[in-house]
Amino acid sequence: MKLSEVLAQIDEKTYADSGIGRWMKEKWVDISRKNKDGSHPPCGASAGKKSRKGGQRAYPNCRKAAVAAKMSKKDKKNAVARKRKHYGSKGRPKKKAIMQK
C-alpha cells in the first residue's frame, strides 16, 4: 500500500468522525417553505421559480429535519418572522448587526 493511499484513508476517516463530517451528512430543511405534500423542502436559496420578484433570492430558514419535526407550527412561524424582520425590502440584510436567538 502506498503512502498516499494510507493518508487518503486516514483523512476520510478523520473527516467522517469530525463535527463537520457529521453535519454534512444530516438532512437540513427550510422551515419557511412547504411542499405540496406538507413536508419541508431541502435547505437552500433557489434562484429559479421560487425566487423573489426582481430576481432576488429568498433567504431560507434552515433547521435539521429532526429539529423541524419537533417544532410546532407557531415556533416555525416565529422563527421565520424573526429572520425576515432583519432583512430590507430588496432581500439584503440591513446594515445594523442582528442578534438572533
Side-chain angles (χ1 to χ4, degrees):
M1 195 180 263
K2 293 182 180 179
L3 179 62
S4 60
E5 293 172 357
V6 172
L7 290 175
Q9 287 178 348
I10 291 171
D11 286 343
E12 286 176 19
K13 186 176 185 323
T14 304
Y15 176 78
D17 293 340
S18 71
I20 191 75
R22 284 191 307 265
W23 182 80
M24 293 295 285
K25 289 179 186 176
E26 292 170 346
K27 182 179 176 187
W28 288 77
V29 294
D30 182 3
I31 62 170
S32 64
R33 296 185 293 150
K34 280 197 171 190
N35 291 330
K36 289 181 181 179
D37 64 355
S39 64
H40 295 290
C43 187
S46 64
K49 265 188 346 187
K50 301 279 183 184
S51 65
R52 291 183 179 175
K53 190 168 78 174
Q56 296 292 329
R57 288 184 174 207
Y59 287 93
N61 199 324
C62 299
R63 298 285 189 274
K64 292 180 198 174
V67 172
K70 293 177 186 176
M71 293 175 76
S72 69
K73 190 174 181 180
K74 186 177 180 181
D75 290 339
K76 292 175 190 177
K77 184 178 176 182
N78 286 340
V80 172
R82 257 195 327 266
K83 186 167 184 178
R84 287 186 179 163
K85 175 181 160 186
H86 296 288
Y87 284 91
S89 60
K90 295 189 178 181
R92 295 187 191 113
K94 293 180 182 177
K95 296 197 186 278
K96 186 177 178 183
I98 60 172
M99 190 168 165
Q100 292 184 353
K101 290 183 183 179

